[in-house]
Amino acid sequence: MARAGLTSQRIVAAGADLADEVGFDRVTASEIARRFDVKVASLYSHLKNAHQLNVGIALLALEELADRVAEALAGRAGKDALVAVADAYLVYSREHPGRYAATQFPLDHETAINSAGVRHSAMMKAILRGYHLSEVDQVHAVRLLGSVFHGFASLEAAGSFAHSAPDSQESWARILDGIDTLLRQWRQEQ
């Protein structure tokens, strides 16, 4: 029977796969229902609405990315930690473009504070421990890192770097060198 085994987790996973194929903003309940060979109403017996599906995909993606970032960060400090984490974000965005887009989906406060987003913030702060920044500068630095990681990944995904030399990977390495230099400078200014 087609409905056997249909769960909210399986529906969200199918939605995440679809997001990687067609883009997060193009995920529809009707396409997911087709993949399970069920009617759309069958999905809504497991999820309230399309918003809940989007939240589920976002939470799944945040969790997957946090696991990758934690693995990359383990045992590293300073610039090595910065580069490893930055690369983990960029590789995930390349391998899972729809899921990565879902990590930017706005979550309500309660959902956000109970999501892997909290782990992301903690790992960003772990990178910064090696730079010995003040609490205020840590906030600025977390915002800087998030902006650079997401901005670069988004521009690259849109093809913005495909039209000129040098290769974007070379730019990425130089950007990370620049961030490392900036963070060390902030520490000296304290």
Side-chain angles (χ1 to χ4, degrees), residues 3 7-8 12 31 34-35 37 53 69 73 85 104 108 118 137 139-140 142-143 165 176 178:
R3 286 179 189 84
T7 65
S8 59
V12 166
E31 179 56 34
R34 264 194 293 284
R35 289 175 180 224
D37 194 27
L53 172 63
V69 170
L73 182 59
V85 168
Q104 304 304 308
D108 66 73
V118 174
D137 280 345
V139 173
H140 295 312
V142 166
R143 290 174 180 166
L176 297 178

Side-chain angles (χ1 to χ4, degrees), residues 7-29 31-33 35-36 43 47 53-54 56-58 60-61 98-99 102:
T7 65
S8 59
Q9 291 84 6
R10 287 189 65 214
I11 294 167
V12 166
D17 290 342
L18 181 60
D20 284 340
E21 293 169 27
V22 302
F24 178 64
D25 60 336
R26 299 177 117 176
V27 171
T28 65
E31 179 56 34
I32 294 171
R35 289 175 180 224
F36 286 110
L43 300 181
L47 297 170
L53 172 63
N54 288 339
I57 295 168
L60 172 68
R99 284 173 162 91

Side-chain angles (χ1 to χ4, degrees), residues 72-122:
L73 182 59
R76 292 185 167 88
K79 185 178 179 186
D80 288 340
L82 170 67
V83 171
V85 168
D87 286 347
Y89 274 91
L90 191 57
V91 168
Y92 186 83
S93 75
R94 290 171 178 164
E95 291 176 355
H96 299 289
R99 284 173 162 91
Y100 183 77
T103 66
Q104 304 304 308
F105 187 73
L107 302 173
D108 66 73
H109 178 73
E110 189 67 27
T111 303
I113 63 171
N114 290 301
S115 75
V118 174
R119 287 177 57 203
H120 288 272
S121 181

Side-chain angles (χ1 to χ4, degrees), residues 139-185:
V139 173
H140 295 312
V142 166
R143 290 174 180 166
L144 170 69
L145 295 177
S147 298
V148 170
F149 297 174
H150 178 65
F152 192 93
S154 297
L155 289 168
E156 184 180 73
S160 298
F161 305 139
H163 307 292
S164 62
D167 183 72
S168 64
Q169 194 62 39
E170 189 176 326
S171 298
W172 183 240
R174 294 197 62 180
I175 289 166
L176 297 178
D177 285 344
I179 291 173
D180 175 64
T181 300
L182 176 64
L183 294 176
R184 284 187 281 115
Q185 180 182 342

